[in-house]
Amino acid sequence: MELTSGGSSGGEGALIGLRGSCLGVGTDIGGSIRSPAANNGLYGFRPTSYRLPVGGYAAAMLGEEQIVSVIGPLSASLEGIKLFMKTIIGAKPWLMEPSVLPFPWRDGEYCSLKGNEKRLKIGVLWSDEIVKPHPPVQRALREVVDQLKTIEGVEIVDWKPYKHDLAWEIIASLYFCDGAHQEIDAIEASGEPWRPLSKFIIKDNPFVKSLTVTEVWEWTEKREDYRTEYMELWNNTATCVGANGDLEGAVDVILCPVGPGAAPPIDHSRYWGYTSQWNLLDYPAAVFPVTKVDPDVDVKDENYLPLNEKDEYNHRLYKPSRYQDAPVSLQLVGRRYEDEKVLEVLEFIKNQIGLPFVKT
């Protein structure tokens, strides 16, 4: 009971994790679908913005468009994720909600995974070089990569993190452009005491400021500049340009941690960088279970020298016995609006290497 079910869709994650349901809906503006999915050993999917309708959605700062919150599924199975996406988009929600993009779910479009000449290039982000993942996450990455290397047609390359510290600065500045006044008012109106993580992300966050309109524009421009630089980084993984102008030989998806550890102790989930990174870029991302924490295998490196204060905080959290049998999940990330490709690649990987390795 010491570990958290995640948030902010943690109730949904806990319910499905206990098999009180097989499928549910969460929201994600920094990892709130993927964190509960990972912590409970489930599948979760953060789609690209404006693929799914959000009519009836209730939240603070509903009109802001700097960092768009999305809805998405959590499920006990990958099939549940695919069914949800295909069914909702198949209902043509753009006829009822004008912000939804008017294109159908494109099943099976990623034909490179089929036939005798399969080709798949996966970039592996081992660490964002800000907070190093705990030993169980490192092991999960190694085990998946080792298995993928045995599959003909699959190429593994390292993905070097690009200014992920700047990415947090940008997204943290754009989360609360009003100085978090609406969130503060909502918490105060409840009459309930502030929870430690609410205080941490609002009151103790140096990036929470009341911005002028001009400052909002400036930070939004920084967001777009960063997205462009990351796009160029991805483009540069291509080996050539085809006759039709398509990039050939580029990385198809990024395999990376969901967080810097398995489910953290309650009130201690302070680092979102492995999920919020992709919210800033608006990349689709799927979470999937891999294994469980094994204290006898996932020993702590007592001689490790932390990179910074955030890394030190995360390193101190890890006590192998505390995390025993906690689900360990990973994340698969694709380019913007390649949602179908992410799930198709995940299905291919799952079937080829037999995920999860240990039932979660």
Side-chain angles (χ1 to χ4, degrees):
M1 296 297 291
E2 185 179 358
L3 306 182
T4 179
S5 64
S8 60
S9 305
E12 196 73 63
L15 177 66
I16 301 170
L18 291 169
R19 298 304 188 264
S21 174
C22 61
L23 177 69
V25 184
T27 58
D28 198 310
I29 196 171
S32 295
I33 289 170
R34 291 161 289 160
S35 166
N39 292 4
N40 292 282
L42 306 172
Y43 294 85
F45 186 56
R46 182 244 180 239
T48 314
S49 61
Y50 305 116
R51 289 297 309 266
L52 297 177
V54 293
Y57 178 82
M61 299 191 304
L62 271 182
E64 71 87 18
E65 295 185 326
Q66 281 66 50
I67 304 296
V68 176
S69 180
V70 300
I71 68 163
L74 296 89
S75 179
S77 69
L78 178 56
E79 290 76 15
I81 299 292
K82 293 175 63 182
L83 176 65
F84 179 89
M85 294 299 298
K86 189 173 181 178
T87 300
I88 299 299
I89 291 178
K92 300 183 176 178
W94 51 85
L95 296 178
M96 295 163 278
E97 192 168 309
S99 63
V100 180
L101 295 176
F103 54 87
W105 186 253
R106 301 159 295 185
D107 244 344
E109 188 171 282
Y110 186 50
C111 57
S112 295
L113 290 176
K114 298 176 175 62
N116 297 324
E117 296 184 2
K118 296 187 290 290
R119 187 200 65 75
L120 178 62
K121 188 173 181 178
I122 300 174
V124 181
L125 177 73
W126 298 95
S127 170
D128 65 2
E129 298 181 356
I130 302 170
V131 175
K132 185 177 181 178
H134 287 165
V137 178
Q138 297 176 45
R139 175 171 63 87
L141 275 170
R142 288 194 305 270
E143 290 179 353
V144 170
V145 168
D146 287 347
Q147 289 295 314
L148 289 173
K149 286 180 177 178
T150 67
I151 303 173
E152 185 178 357
V154 174
E155 179 183 359
I156 302 295
V157 297
D158 288 337
W159 185 276
K160 184 173 176 57
Y162 178 75
K163 299 182 180 178
H164 283 214
D165 52 348
L166 174 62
W168 173 252
E169 182 180 347
I170 294 171
I171 197 169
S173 297
L174 289 171
Y175 273 144
F176 306 107
C177 297
D178 68 338
H181 288 305
Q182 287 199 10
E183 282 84 358
I184 292 170
D185 289 347
I187 293 172
E188 297 292 353
S190 73
E192 298 179 3
W194 280 71
R195 295 295 303 164
L197 290 179
S198 298
K199 181 178 180 295
F200 167 76
I201 199 60
I202 293 177
K203 292 187 175 182
D204 300 336
N205 186 348
F207 299 108
V208 174
K209 301 174 183 176
S210 293
L211 303 180
T212 66
V213 172
T214 301
E215 287 172 330
V216 171
W217 293 342
E218 289 171 349
W219 278 109
T220 303
E221 189 174 9
K222 290 178 182 179
R223 180 199 70 186
E224 291 306 290
D225 288 343
Y226 184 78
R227 286 180 175 180
T228 300
E229 291 172 14
Y230 221 90
M231 177 186 67
E232 292 171 350
L233 179 73
W234 201 312
N235 290 347
N236 289 337
T237 66
T239 55
C240 64
V241 179
N244 60 356
D246 287 342
L247 297 176
E248 297 183 359
V251 163
D252 292 294
V253 291
I254 299 170
L255 175 67
C256 62
V258 189
I266 293 171
D267 294 333
H268 288 77
S269 181
R270 289 192 171 196
Y271 189 71
W272 312 352
Y274 286 101
T275 50
S276 63
Q277 172 71 23
W278 315 118
N279 292 87
L280 179 66
L281 295 168
D282 196 22
Y283 286 174
V287 164
F288 56 97
V290 176
T291 186
K292 288 184 177 181
V293 176
D294 183 342
D296 293 330
V297 176
D298 303 315
V299 296
K300 183 174 184 176
D301 182 0
E302 299 292 351
N303 296 317
Y304 176 69
L305 297 177
L307 302 170
N308 50 59
E309 289 184 9
K310 293 179 180 179
D311 194 32
E312 183 179 11
Y313 180 87
N314 185 64
H315 181 66
R316 288 202 313 266
L317 284 180
Y318 187 61
K319 298 176 183 177
S321 60
R322 168 189 277 171
Y323 289 86
Q324 182 169 356
D325 294 329
V328 182
S329 301
L330 295 177
Q331 183 173 207
L332 207 62
V333 179
R335 302 189 75 155
R336 205 171 185 213
Y337 295 112
E338 292 191 347
D339 302 50
E340 295 90 340
K341 182 178 182 178
V342 170
L343 295 184
E344 190 172 344
V345 172
L346 177 53
E347 183 175 37
F348 173 82
I349 292 173
K350 178 177 181 290
N351 293 337
Q352 289 291 314
I353 69 176
L355 289 173
F357 297 140
V358 177
K359 188 175 181 181
T360 57

